[in-house]
Amino acid sequence: LIREDGSELALDIKRPTLLIDRERALRNLERMAARVARFGLRFRPHFKTHQSPAIGNWFRDFGVRRIAVSSVTMARLFASEGWDDITIAFPVNLREIDELRPLAEKVRLGLLVDSVEVADAVDRGLSSAADAWIKVDAGYGRAGADWNDERALLDLAGRIGSSRRLRLSGILSHNGLTYLERSVEGVKRAHADALSKLLSAKRLLREAGFPQCDLSIGDTPSASIAEEFGGADEIRPGNFIFYDVMQAEIGSCTVEDVAVAVACPVVGVYPRRGSAVVYGGAAHLSAQSMTGSEGIRSYGEARTQWPGWGRTEGFVSAVSQEHGVVRGEYAWLESLSPGGTVFVVPVHSCLTCDLHGSYTTLEGDTLQRLRID
Amino acid sequence: LIREDGSELALDIKRPTLLIDRERALRNLERMAARVARFGLRFRPHFKTHQSPAIGNWFRDFGVRRIAVSSVTMARLFASEGWDDITIAFPVNLREIDELRPLAEKVRLGLLVDSVEVADAVDRGLSSAADAWIKVDAGYGRAGADWNDERALLDLAGRIGSSRRLRLSGILSHNGLTYLERSVEGVKRAHADALSKLLSAKRLLREAGFPQCDLSIGDTPSASIAEEFGGADEIRPGNFIFYDVMQAEIGSCTVEDVAVAVACPVVGVYPRRGSAVVYGGAAHLSAQSMTGSEGIRSYGEARTQWPGWGRTEGFVSAVSQEHGVVRGEYAWLESLSPGGTVFVVPVHSCLTCDLHGSYTTLEGDTLQRLRID
């Protein structure tokens, strides 16, 4: 394990171990906080990426007081860590209404609704006020009311407006389409397209008598790249704190910005076959792959030094539950040996981190993640 | 939740919950045990699939005393559950030699080696005897010495034979190529091809003065389908206890044999968009997908009754960290509502189960998995 400044660190890697480069993460955070300030947005970072109380505290140092999470469980656990303005950026799960009730009593809670049925059920289920965001789909096609379904948006805003417990905060959207782009220009275009749709929905509601209607948007590519956010009020990126190979491919960052990697013991070396095998498979990296510009499927970039500024030496071409197959040039493979370590920079850091109970810093400290069973 | 006999069960599903149908799992186990007996093989089931002490005990009732696992951690935890004949069916991780030493003192331990360097290092590191299996690759291309590299096989057998601690058990292989097949005939062909290669390697070693050389093979498709195992001594299938959609597609089972499913709360219904959204994403199902015979990518089959014998109503077409997008016919989607439950039958049950801390039986009991951090 060799640092960027050339100094060596001796972490005793026995099993696949999730490493974090604190300096890189803080640099990513600082850069994003500066962008958010520059564009006059409210910053509500998504904590599903790191799910760590200690890393959450780094955000406090940048003045962050509002957060987003993706489950009631995460909201409850971060509330117990002292966070008191939490949006659950996931459609309300009515089966957890009994868990939502005490949470809304304890913190300023933001909830996502996209139908009057759910709004009614939430209103009946709560005993105190909560912020309601109308979840809107601007073309991604996952959750939310259609951005141009005026009837649905007005009905929903009206129902929230006349409810006992819910306060209309505005409309909220996640533009997953930017993750399909592979260039800065592409991300800007996809962002501008979604933003104009969302602004028309916001205008509709403001003009229909909901002057307090705000707009919250959320994806890391737009948050990292776009230069125009006019009309948006809040931004909720999460992945940027670590970034990953996918974000580098999109253009949100470089591979040198990626702040996490999995240290994997080498268990087999087969240069003639063009491969090596590491202890580190779908159980440690996730089964998420990406197809790079050369049409090759990858489960992560592989290198013998991390963090480091040199070129990537190999990639993970296949994963089983515990095995990762690493490919690279003959000379590099031949330099590996069983008992050595390969560092895998993940394709999708949120999913990779979700498979580990803690982070190990380059200084050897352990940062626990929330215990979600 | 409706059982096959029509009786209703009321499990209170709040969050994505891994369900197990004990009867189906026992039926799968009984069928496999009967096949293994019919072919005169030793049965060493792979416990990486279930990783549960309670489910392990079901195997004891079928006379199973030997098991395979895929990590030193699993070996240690199952040893503490009283299992005393354990093969770690994963290349030796030299970084865990300090954990292997006490384990080899405690149980009959089988280890996989595929180079003289690793064999030497293991021999030096242990303080008591262990079984050594030469890991052989018969064309899959993951780990192991090449089946036809006579020099490597003879060197390795010789080195093990002259070692202090290692006892040569034979050669061991996993034929991952059968997972690429999509028909019973295809699996039989891929199995016969690998078996003939492995038998030639076994013959080589037996004739070179290693008469005790056995052959251990392992994949679930061959174990479920093939009718010819002549020359093999031991078989190590794991997935068969649960099976999954992938195994049904291969022909190892039917979807009605699959003994696990994830109950996912419905959080959004969009029939006009052809979809619904459930609380159940890559964090609960895994990011493993498969492309079915119609060229459609699926992360699992989706249905409103499980277990049940009716046709599958939908499938998971995309996953985010916590979201699953479910697709199906308009009428079925329209019948769903937020607050309802959809059951997802996994593509790859090993990976799905690995994301959960426990199983919930249809009777409402909890079966813990090993706690692997």
Side-chain angles (χ1 to χ4, degrees):
Chain A
L1 191 63
I2 300 187
R3 312 239 358 232
E4 283 160 24
D5 63 6
S7 63
E8 294 209 23
L9 287 163
L11 290 179
D12 185 19
I13 303 296
K14 285 178 171 290
R15 285 168 283 277
T17 303
L18 178 62
L19 302 182
I20 181 170
D21 181 337
R22 190 171 180 273
E23 286 170 36
R24 285 189 182 189
L26 286 173
R27 204 156 57 217
N28 294 338
L29 174 50
E30 184 171 21
R31 203 182 301 134
M32 186 60 77
R35 279 180 59 82
V36 172
R38 174 150 71 93
F39 295 112
L41 297 163
R42 291 197 305 268
F43 192 18
R44 185 183 289 280
H46 206 316
F47 275 21
K48 79 177 172 69
T49 303
H50 63 80
Q51 292 182 43
S52 160
I55 296 174
N57 287 336
W58 302 351
F59 287 77
R60 289 195 215 256
D61 298 339
F62 284 84
V64 170
R65 296 292 177 269
R66 306 174 181 92
I67 66 171
V69 298
S70 55
S71 72
V72 180
T73 307
M74 275 183 233
R76 186 170 50 74
L77 294 172
F78 275 115
S80 72
E81 295 288 333
W83 294 92
D84 60 6
D85 186 341
I86 305 176
T87 296
I88 302 175
F90 186 86
V92 169
N93 172 19
L94 293 177
R95 291 184 163 262
E96 292 183 292
I97 193 74
D98 292 340
E99 283 77 22
L100 285 173
R101 194 180 309 112
L103 204 52
E105 289 170 2
K106 183 175 176 183
V107 303
R108 175 157 197 168
L109 188 67
L111 298 173
L112 274 52
V113 293
D114 66 4
S115 73
V116 292
E117 293 75 19
V118 171
D120 285 350
V122 173
D123 191 47
R124 279 196 306 273
L126 296 182
S127 56
S128 56
D131 294 335
W133 290 92
I134 299 177
K135 169 77 172 172
V136 173
D137 179 54
Y140 178 38
R142 191 172 66 180
D146 289 331
W147 67 276
N148 57 358
D149 188 344
E150 301 193 355
R151 192 71 266 142
L153 297 178
L154 291 169
D155 281 355
L156 199 39
R159 193 67 71 105
I160 292 167
S162 64
S163 73
R164 287 183 316 156
R165 307 295 187 193
L166 299 177
R167 290 180 302 239
L168 182 67
S169 288
I171 62 177
L172 180 148
S173 191
H174 173 72
N175 186 9
L177 293 174
T178 60
Y179 291 78
L180 305 178
E181 298 296 335
R182 290 294 178 270
S183 72
V184 163
E185 285 316 307
V187 169
K188 285 183 177 175
R189 212 166 33 238
H191 167 70
D193 179 59
L195 189 57
S196 78
K197 290 172 176 168
L198 294 167
L199 288 178
S200 93
K202 176 178 167 179
R203 235 177 353 253
L204 172 80
L205 292 175
R206 289 211 163 193
E207 290 169 3
F210 304 98
Q212 76 288 22
C213 178
D214 276 352
L215 171 59
S216 174
I217 59 176
D219 59 300
T220 279
S222 300
S224 304
I225 291 170
E227 292 291 330
E228 176 54 53
F229 292 89
D233 302 283
E234 178 181 276
I235 194 162
R236 312 179 317 278
N239 177 279
F240 75 90
I241 183 72
F242 299 151
Y243 285 124
D244 49 38
V245 176
M246 178 86 82
Q247 292 294 334
E249 186 83 6
I250 291 169
S252 307
C253 65
T254 66
V255 174
E256 288 74 30
D257 294 321
V258 182
V260 289
V262 182
C264 299
V266 176
V267 297
V269 180
Y270 317 100
R272 279 188 301 167
R273 233 185 260 160
S275 63
V277 170
V278 299
Y279 179 13
H284 318 96
L285 305 173
S286 105
Q288 177 77 52
S289 64
M290 61 179 281
T291 304
S293 41
E294 301 90 25
I296 295 171
R297 177 175 289 200
S298 166
Y299 295 82
E301 294 202 2
R303 48 194 317 147
T304 33
Q305 295 187 5
W306 188 87
W309 297 91
R311 76 186 176 94
T312 291
E313 296 148 302
F315 67 101
V316 179
S317 65
V319 290
S320 308
Q321 188 167 348
E322 317 273 349
H323 303 72
V325 177
V326 173
R327 298 200 169 272
E329 288 179 9
Y330 188 92
W332 178 64
L333 291 168
E334 219 183 10
S335 76
L336 302 178
S337 59
T341 307
V342 161
F343 299 90
V344 178
V345 186
V347 166
H348 187 171
S349 59
C350 304
L351 298 189
T352 300
C353 296
D354 205 36
L355 298 167
H356 297 263
S358 64
Y359 304 84
T360 300
T361 71
L362 301 183
E363 295 76 31
D365 298 325
T366 299
L367 309 179
Q368 294 295 334
R369 283 172 60 96
L370 304 173
R371 183 116 229 165
I372 295 181
D373 287 312
Chain B
L1 192 64
I2 300 187
R3 312 239 359 230
E4 283 160 26
D5 64 5
S7 63
E8 295 209 22
L9 287 164
L11 291 180
D12 184 19
I13 303 296
K14 285 179 171 288
R15 286 168 282 278
T17 304
L18 178 62
L19 302 181
I20 181 169
D21 181 337
R22 190 172 181 272
E23 286 171 36
R24 285 188 183 189
L26 286 173
R27 204 156 58 218
N28 294 339
L29 174 50
E30 183 171 22
R31 203 182 301 134
M32 186 60 76
R35 279 179 58 83
V36 171
R38 175 151 69 91
F39 294 113
L41 297 162
R42 291 198 304 268
F43 192 18
R44 184 182 290 279
H46 206 316
F47 276 20
K48 79 176 172 70
T49 304
H50 63 79
Q51 292 181 43
S52 160
I55 296 173
N57 286 337
W58 301 351
F59 286 78
R60 289 194 215 259
D61 298 340
F62 285 85
V64 171
R65 296 293 177 268
R66 306 175 181 92
I67 66 170
V69 298
S70 54
S71 72
V72 180
T73 307
M74 275 184 233
R76 185 169 50 74
L77 294 172
F78 275 116
S80 72
E81 294 288 333
W83 294 92
D84 59 7
D85 188 341
I86 304 176
T87 295
I88 301 176
F90 187 86
V92 168
N93 173 19
L94 293 177
R95 291 185 164 262
E96 292 183 293
I97 193 75
D98 291 340
E99 284 76 23
L100 285 172
R101 195 179 308 111
L103 204 52
E105 289 171 2
K106 183 175 177 183
V107 304
R108 175 158 197 167
L109 188 67
L111 298 172
L112 273 53
V113 293
D114 65 5
S115 73
V116 291
E117 292 75 18
V118 171
D120 284 349
V122 173
D123 191 47
R124 279 195 307 273
L126 296 182
S127 57
S128 57
D131 294 336
W133 291 90
I134 299 176
K135 169 77 172 172
V136 172
D137 178 53
Y140 177 38
R142 192 173 63 181
D146 288 332
W147 67 275
N148 56 358
D149 187 344
E150 302 193 354
R151 192 71 266 143
L153 297 179
L154 291 170
D155 282 355
L156 201 39
R159 193 68 71 105
I160 293 167
S162 64
S163 73
R164 288 182 315 156
R165 307 296 188 193
L166 299 177
R167 290 179 302 240
L168 182 68
S169 288
I171 61 177
L172 179 148
S173 192
H174 173 72
N175 186 9
L177 293 174
T178 59
Y179 291 78
L180 304 178
E181 299 295 337
R182 290 294 178 269
S183 71
V184 163
E185 284 316 307
V187 169
K188 285 183 176 174
R189 212 166 33 237
H191 167 70
D193 179 58
L195 189 57
S196 78
K197 292 172 176 168
L198 295 167
L199 289 178
S200 93
K202 174 178 168 177
R203 235 179 349 255
L204 172 81
L205 292 174
R206 290 211 163 194
E207 289 169 4
F210 304 98
Q212 76 287 22
C213 178
D214 275 353
L215 170 60
S216 175
I217 58 176
D219 59 299
T220 280
S222 300
S224 303
I225 290 170
E227 292 291 331
E228 176 54 52
F229 292 88
D233 302 284
E234 179 180 276
I235 193 161
R236 312 179 316 278
N239 176 279
F240 74 91
I241 183 72
F242 298 151
Y243 285 125
D244 50 37
V245 176
M246 177 85 83
Q247 292 294 334
E249 186 82 5
I250 291 169
S252 306
C253 65
T254 67
V255 174
E256 288 74 30
D257 293 321
V258 183
V260 288
V262 181
C264 299
V266 177
V267 296
V269 180
Y270 317 99
R272 279 187 301 167
R273 233 183 262 159
S275 63
V277 170
V278 298
Y279 179 12
H284 318 95
L285 305 173
S286 104
Q288 177 77 52
S289 64
M290 60 179 282
T291 304
S293 42
E294 302 90 23
I296 295 171
R297 177 174 289 200
S298 166
Y299 294 82
E301 296 203 0
R303 47 195 316 148
T304 32
Q305 295 187 4
W306 188 85
W309 297 90
R311 76 185 176 94
T312 291
E313 296 149 301
F315 67 101
V316 179
S317 65
V319 290
S320 308
Q321 188 167 348
E322 315 275 348
H323 303 72
V325 177
V326 173
R327 299 201 168 273
E329 289 180 8
Y330 188 92
W332 179 64
L333 291 168
E334 219 183 10
S335 76
L336 302 177
S337 58
T341 306
V342 162
F343 300 89
V344 178
V345 186
V347 165
H348 187 172
S349 60
C350 304
L351 298 189
T352 300
C353 296
D354 205 37
L355 298 167
H356 297 262
S358 63
Y359 304 84
T360 299
T361 71
L362 301 183
E363 295 76 31
D365 299 325
T366 299
L367 308 179
Q368 293 296 332
R369 282 171 61 96
L370 304 173
R371 182 118 229 164
I372 295 182
D373 286 312

